[in-house]
């Protein structure tokens, strides 16, 4: 279940009891407590029912949210509980009432609650933007009233009062827009953070066969460049995509009330402007998709050069790699230029329409005023509305430029997010006496010709098998099948006396220890490198160092 789906279901719950992990775990308790906090911030009633074996170290996380003895929840939510059979004893009475199980990732509970809060902030920002737009639309009406009514009447106190009111409305609109923009920046940042987290988690859990459909550079580009484009799209939509349409619709309505003839001119200009924006955006989205694919190639070449810099220098291949990068960079630049040329048509065309419309409004308005059919104040107000509407229309054009990039990036990210994150369980659950082996296993990476063909062997407990062969003979592929990084196209692979297709990849991989051919260090201490972010006890790490004679 995605974060958005979990958040949508949580938003409909009022009285919630949250069950925690089947074992004491700081991350899980912290996520459950964060979920309680987020739900309470939304006005919900939420309590936590922790594992009774919870250690004193993590007890403070749960203390403020412990369920009261007489609490009768309407909904029950479990956080990171792998199976109902693993529920703590005190949670067993609620196992048939679990309405939502958040076990996709321990911290998903926190982000689900955060998504609920983001939706509230976005709605609040829209309301503030709407209020600020109304204040901006009132200003020309007050100006027309001053010119047509108060100035001829020489009512100086009323003129001062109206001017003061206009000043208050102007400052109120500015303050509202500033506040809404700050909220939009925060919401878009947090939404993009959630998206990037979900995408990263999906990439980490993609089966190798599905991950091979995308290059590593493409996945990196989707995780960085594409999520940034979506961040910009969210931010621009909340800032200009809400205010600008309100100004256009409100301005057109008020201009029709002021002077229908001039309003028709404004309406036609706005219609042509929106048609231009639609056609240009429709044309530009595919070009931005091509540009993002070209970026993937540039990132791939950079990664390959960074990983193989020693080989490149040893073979004196710097010039060849520079030419290769230059070609990819030129293709990327050409794709960006094609997209930029298409989207650059928006501003000149809209400016032309704006100037033509403004000229028509002035001509028609001057004739109306000269004939006495229209007060002078109304033409001033109308010109103000015209400028306001066209400025908002240009703002919409800029929003659509961001949308063009964002939509192209969203399609690329969606491809990865919609991939099934785990390998399905299949095969016959038949026990074998041999602990490890293969029987007629055949596998191909690309489905063209077998990379392994009809491999068979068996190993009993205590036996040893050495796999020898030149580069490309299939040694790594054979081990990958045993680890269930890939599934064999035909034949059977068994580990622990069972077909690997009847076991989850995690259950299979927990049986193996791996010594890697190449060393890879993280930026940390020796302890952190040996523990490899697994939060292992220090004495276990020291014992492993002694066993490996690495002191």
């Amino acid at each position: 279940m995605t974060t958005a789906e979990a958040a949508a279901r949580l938003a409909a719950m009022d009285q919630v009891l949250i069950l925690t992990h089947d074992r004491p775990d700081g991350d899980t308790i912290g996520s459950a407590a964060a979920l309680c906090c987020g739900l309470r911030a939304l006005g919900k009633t939420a309590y936590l029912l922790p594992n009774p074996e919870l250690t004193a170290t993590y007890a403070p996380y749960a203390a403020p949210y412990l369920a009261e003895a007489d609490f009768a929840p309407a909904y029950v939510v479990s956080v990171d509980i792998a199976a109902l059979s693993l529920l703590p004893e005190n949670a067993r009475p609620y196992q048939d009432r679990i309405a939502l199980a958040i076990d996709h990732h321990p911290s998903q509970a926190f982000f689900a609650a955060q998504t609920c809060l983001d939706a509230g902030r976005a709605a609040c920002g829209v309301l503030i933007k709407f209020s600020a737009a109304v204040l901006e639309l009132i200003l020309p009406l007050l100006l027309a009233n001053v010119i047509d009514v108060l100035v001829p009447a020489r009512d100086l106190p009323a003129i001062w009062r109206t001017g003061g009111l206009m000043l208050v409305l102007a400052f109120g609109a500015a303050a509202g827009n500033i506040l809404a923009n700050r909220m939009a920046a925060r919401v878009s940042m947090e939404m993009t953070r959630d998206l990037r987290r979900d995408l990263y988690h999906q990439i980490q859990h993609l089966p190798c066969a599905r991950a091979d459909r995308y290059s590593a550079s493409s996945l990196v580009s989707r995780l960085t460049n594409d999520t940034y484009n979506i961040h910009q799209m969210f931010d621009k939509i909340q800032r200009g995509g809400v205010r600008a349409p309100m100004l256009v619709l409100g301005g057109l309505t008020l201009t029709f009330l002021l002077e229908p003839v001039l309003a028709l001119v404004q309406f036609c200009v706005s219609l042509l402007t929106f048609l231009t924006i639609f056609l240009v955006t429709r044309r530009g989205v595919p070009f931005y998709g091509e540009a993002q694919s070209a970026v993937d190639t540039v990132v791939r070449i950079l990664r390959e050069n960074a990983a193989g810099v020693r080989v490149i220098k040893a073979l004196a291949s710097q010039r060849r790699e520079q030419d290769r990068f230059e070609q990819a960079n030129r293709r990327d630049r050409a794709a960006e230029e094609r997209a930029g040329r298409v989207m650059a048509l928006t501003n000149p065309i809209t400016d032309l329409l704006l100037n033509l419309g403004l000229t028509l409004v002035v001509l028609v308005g001057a004739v109306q005023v000269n004939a006495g059919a229209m007060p002078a104040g109304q033409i001033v107000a109308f010109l103000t509305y015209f400028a306001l509407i066209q400025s908002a229309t240009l703002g919409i054009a800029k929003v659509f430029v961001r949308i063009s990039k964002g939509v192209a990036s969203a399609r690329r990210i969606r491809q990865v997010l919609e991939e099934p994150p785990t390998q399905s369980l299949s095969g016959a659950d038949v026990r074998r006496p041999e602990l490890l082996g293969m029987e007629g296993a055949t596998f191909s990476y690309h489905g063209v010709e077998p990379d392994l063909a009809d491999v068979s062997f068996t190993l009993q407990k205590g036996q040893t098998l050495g796999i020898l062969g030149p580069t490309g003979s299939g040694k790594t592929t054979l081990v990958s099948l045993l680890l269930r990084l890939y599934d064999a196209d035909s034949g059977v692979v068994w580990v622990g006396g069972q077909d690997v297709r009847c076991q989850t990849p995690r259950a299979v991989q927990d049986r193996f220890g791996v010594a890697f051919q190449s060393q890879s260090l993280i930026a940390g201490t020796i302890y952190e490198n040996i523990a490899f972010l697994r939060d292992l006890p220090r004495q276990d790490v020291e014992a492993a160092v002694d066993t490996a004679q690495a002191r």
Side-chain angles (χ1 to χ4, degrees):
M1 178 180 296
T2 64
T3 298
E5 293 170 340
R9 296 184 61 179
L10 284 168
M13 299 180 182
D14 294 325
Q15 296 180 328
V16 184
L17 180 66
I18 300 171
L19 312 179
T20 59
H21 203 278
D22 53 284
R23 65 179 185 273
D25 187 296
D27 289 339
T28 304
I29 296 301
S31 296
L35 179 56
C36 275
C37 180
L39 291 174
R40 290 184 180 183
L42 294 173
K44 314 286 186 180
T45 302
Y47 287 99
L48 182 66
L49 186 64
N51 189 329
E53 299 178 0
L54 184 67
T55 62
T57 304
Y58 303 125
Y61 289 107
Y65 308 103
L66 292 178
E68 299 176 357
D70 57 347
F71 177 60
Y75 299 93
V76 179
V77 175
S78 67
V79 176
D80 201 26
I81 297 177
L84 293 181
S85 59
L86 299 176
L87 278 171
E89 287 296 330
N90 62 335
R92 292 295 174 85
Y94 299 100
Q95 66 179 6
D96 295 329
R97 298 180 55 192
I98 295 177
L100 177 63
I102 303 177
D103 58 3
H104 184 62
H105 190 269
S107 62
Q108 188 188 22
F110 169 77
F111 289 104
Q114 186 64 49
T115 302
C116 293
L117 293 174
D118 290 343
R121 292 193 189 100
C124 184
V126 170
L127 182 60
I128 295 174
K129 281 284 186 181
F130 176 78
S131 302
V134 171
L135 296 181
E136 291 183 63
L137 291 171
I138 293 175
L139 290 174
L141 293 178
L142 295 176
L143 178 61
N145 181 66
V146 170
I147 295 174
D148 292 337
V149 179
L150 301 182
V151 171
R154 298 180 183 277
D155 190 349
L156 192 58
I159 293 175
W160 280 106
R161 286 195 301 270
T162 305
L165 178 60
M166 293 175 66
L167 191 63
V168 171
L169 294 180
F171 276 107
N177 284 323
I178 291 173
L179 177 60
N181 287 343
R182 289 177 64 87
M183 295 177 67
R186 180 174 179 179
V187 170
S188 59
M189 176 191 68
E190 292 176 348
M191 290 177 67
T192 308
R193 177 199 62 189
D194 294 349
L195 175 63
R196 189 177 291 116
R197 178 193 58 83
D198 282 345
L199 180 59
Y200 181 80
H201 187 265
Q202 173 76 346
I203 291 173
Q204 291 296 311
H205 289 79
L206 274 180
C208 291
R210 295 192 178 97
D212 288 345
R213 300 175 188 174
Y214 313 94
S215 64
S217 59
S218 178
L219 294 176
V220 171
S221 179
R222 293 167 203 246
L223 193 60
T224 53
N225 194 31
D226 286 330
T227 54
Y228 174 76
N229 287 338
I230 291 179
H231 169 268
Q232 292 294 305
M233 180 180 69
F234 281 152
D235 185 65
K236 202 68 177 178
I237 287 175
Q238 291 179 92
R239 290 174 183 242
V242 174
R243 173 178 174 270
M246 291 178 180
L247 290 178
V248 171
L249 295 176
L252 287 174
T253 302
L254 291 174
T255 52
F256 269 104
L257 294 176
L258 284 174
E259 180 55 50
V261 176
L262 293 179
L264 284 175
V265 177
Q266 173 66 72
F267 178 76
C268 292
V269 172
S270 297
L271 191 62
L272 290 173
T273 302
F274 282 118
L275 180 62
T276 300
I277 293 172
F278 171 76
L279 293 176
V280 171
T281 303
R282 183 179 179 184
R283 178 68 174 165
V285 169
F287 285 114
Y288 278 119
E290 294 176 6
Q292 290 302 112
S293 298
V295 170
D296 291 347
T297 304
V298 173
V299 174
R300 175 174 57 81
I301 293 175
L302 285 173
R303 285 174 53 87
E304 290 172 354
N305 277 266
V309 61
R310 294 181 180 178
V311 176
I312 293 171
K313 290 183 176 181
L315 299 177
S317 301
Q318 293 94 325
R319 173 56 58 185
R320 186 193 65 186
E321 292 301 317
Q322 289 174 3
D323 294 340
R324 184 165 163 250
F325 176 80
E326 182 63 25
Q327 291 176 4
N329 197 28
R330 287 176 180 173
R331 287 193 293 269
D332 180 30
R333 185 186 64 185
E336 291 284 356
E337 285 179 351
R338 286 194 296 270
R341 280 197 297 267
V342 172
M343 299 307 298
L345 294 174
T346 304
N347 283 344
I349 295 175
T350 53
D351 285 341
L352 175 63
L353 293 174
L354 169 62
N355 293 327
L356 290 176
L358 190 60
T359 303
L360 288 175
V361 167
V362 171
L363 289 175
V364 176
V367 172
Q368 295 280 74
V369 172
N370 187 54
M374 181 179 181
Q378 284 194 8
I379 187 65
V380 174
F382 196 93
L383 290 175
T384 304
Y385 279 126
F386 188 92
L388 193 64
I389 291 171
Q390 287 305 111
S391 174
T393 304
L394 293 176
I396 293 176
K398 294 178 181 178
V399 170
F400 272 89
V401 172
R402 293 295 183 185
I403 290 176
S404 300
K405 290 185 177 182
V407 168
S409 295
R411 289 174 179 171
R412 287 159 48 84
I413 291 176
R414 183 179 178 181
Q415 291 175 347
V416 179
L417 291 178
E418 289 183 345
E419 290 282 0
T422 56
Q423 294 165 288
S424 59
L425 300 181
S426 60
D429 189 8
V430 178
R431 292 283 179 176
R432 294 173 177 266
E434 299 86 358
L435 186 65
L436 190 73
M438 294 183 178
E439 182 177 328
T442 300
F443 173 76
S444 173
Y445 284 104
H446 303 291
V448 179
E449 58 182 28
D451 295 279
L452 283 181
D454 196 25
V455 177
S456 300
F457 70 90
T458 58
L459 281 177
Q460 299 287 357
K461 186 174 182 179
Q463 291 183 323
T464 302
L465 174 67
I467 304 171
L468 305 177
T471 301
S473 61
K475 303 184 296 298
T476 302
T477 302
L478 188 147
V479 174
S480 297
L481 294 179
L482 290 173
L483 288 168
R484 212 195 171 193
L485 300 178
Y486 299 90
D487 284 333
D489 298 330
S490 62
V492 181
V493 179
W494 68 88
V495 173
Q498 277 185 294
D499 190 336
V500 293
R501 290 172 296 182
C502 298
Q503 308 176 57
T504 64
R506 174 60 62 191
V508 174
Q509 292 159 15
D510 283 345
R511 297 175 176 270
F512 286 85
V514 179
F516 294 102
Q517 183 176 356
S518 58
Q519 298 79 24
S520 179
L521 300 178
I522 62 176
T525 64
I526 296 176
Y527 163 77
E528 290 170 340
N529 273 276
I530 297 175
F532 205 69
L533 307 178
R534 290 175 292 176
D535 198 23
L536 298 177
R538 195 170 192 88
Q539 57 270 25
D540 292 351
V541 173
E542 291 178 354
V545 171
D546 293 335
T547 302
Q549 299 180 358
R551 284 190 184 273

